[in-house]
Amino acid sequence: RKEVEQDPGPFNVPEGATVAFNCTYSNSASQSFFWYRQDCRKEPKLLMSVYSSGNEDGRFTAQLNRASQYISLLIRDSKLSDSATYLCVASMDSSYKLIFGSGTRLLVRP
Amino acid sequence: NAGVTQTPKFQVLKTGQSMTLQCAQDMNHEYMSWYRQDPGMGLRLIHYSVGAGITDQGEVPNGYNVSRSTTEDFPLRLLSAAPSQTSVYFCASISVGGEAFFGQGTRLTVV
């Protein structure tokens, strides 16, 4: 079983839709969590960190559920430019050994 | 700002050849990592380093060596290339807050 698991998608949604991705992690000692965005044939870039109390950045909301060991990403009012692969990441703070999920592909159509 | 510089961008090797992928960062980060990305597999950790002189294995270390003689540089060596090592390789430099800054990637084909 992979340490970090995601639904690969693709999620195909119209512009303006709300879409949510979930991610589960198996190592209960994981301390830090992140969502990264990766465009086709490009390097991943940090989208947002995920805090225990949940956090919001514009149209993006991230939440963490430690009891169930999953994190989520909600995108509201989807834009065409949101089309990308979204990578869930967990890490052990002591080493910053970042473990990536396989990614969820999002396609936003006009 | 250079950030993370990774070279080369593309490489074709013959089976059995060796090569070194270069990675340099100018952000004074202690933590650096190497990943490979294959279709449907996401990024898998090859090796990582928590500071100069300290390295450790990740999920898929076989066939690769690393060293960290300085804070800035973290090269990845392929000892004897195999077709199974055909992949896209990313170097990452990681801040104290856990944010990873990636190089542009190396597309490696082993024939």
Side-chain angles (χ1 to χ4, degrees):
Chain A
R1 182 186 174 189
K2 284 180 66 69
E3 284 193 53
V4 178
E5 295 200 71
Q6 298 181 248
D7 180 343
F11 286 65
N12 191 324
V13 302
E15 270 187 292
T18 296
V19 61
F21 309 138
N22 285 335
C23 161
T24 59
Y25 60 95
S26 60
N27 190 336
S28 59
S30 298
Q31 293 295 315
S32 301
F33 306 91
F34 308 89
W35 283 101
Y36 279 73
R37 171 192 168 127
Q38 185 175 26
D39 294 302
C40 187
R41 302 179 74 84
K42 297 286 189 181
E43 72 274 21
K45 292 185 179 178
L46 181 67
L47 177 67
M48 59 195 304
S49 302
V50 185
Y51 302 122
S52 297
S53 56
N55 49 298
E56 187 174 306
D57 183 1
R59 298 181 292 109
F60 299 85
T61 301
Q63 293 192 315
L64 168 64
N65 184 318
R66 287 191 183 274
S68 301
Q69 295 186 202
Y70 78 82
I71 69 174
S72 64
L73 176 68
L74 181 77
I75 305 175
R76 291 180 299 277
D77 189 22
S78 298
K79 311 292 185 190
L80 294 176
S81 57
D82 293 334
S83 296
T85 296
Y86 291 83
L87 302 167
C88 172
V89 182
S91 88
M92 307 281 288
D93 279 340
S94 60
S95 66
Y96 288 103
K97 180 180 168 184
L98 302 181
I99 303 299
F100 284 74
S102 299
T104 298
R105 191 172 173 208
L106 172 65
L107 301 173
V108 181
R109 63 181 187 269
Chain B
N1 291 337
V4 179
T5 302
Q6 185 180 337
T7 58
K9 288 187 179 179
F10 302 93
Q11 183 71 50
V12 179
L13 288 179
K14 293 182 179 179
T15 297
Q17 286 185 315
S18 62
M19 77 161 294
T20 299
L21 278 64
Q22 303 291 345
C23 179
Q25 54 98 359
D26 62 0
M27 296 173 283
N28 202 33
H29 291 162
E30 293 294 328
Y31 308 103
M32 296 185 73
S33 298
W34 275 102
Y35 292 87
R36 61 177 287 174
Q37 187 172 34
D38 302 293
M41 302 289 288
L43 279 85
R44 291 185 290 170
L45 183 63
I46 304 172
H47 285 284
Y48 65 101
S49 171
V50 298
I54 306 170
T55 64
D56 205 348
Q57 297 181 351
E59 303 169 79
V60 288
N62 293 340
Y64 308 94
N65 272 357
V66 292
S67 60
R68 186 92 180 272
S69 56
T70 67
T71 299
E72 293 78 19
D73 299 299
F74 191 42
L76 177 73
R77 296 183 187 83
L78 278 70
L79 308 173
S80 177
S84 61
Q85 293 179 304
T86 293
S87 188
V88 180
Y89 292 84
F90 288 103
C91 175
S93 179
I94 302 161
S95 71
V96 171
E99 179 177 0
F101 297 82
F102 287 88
Q104 290 185 313
T106 297
R107 296 186 178 277
L108 175 68
T109 302
V110 182
V111 297

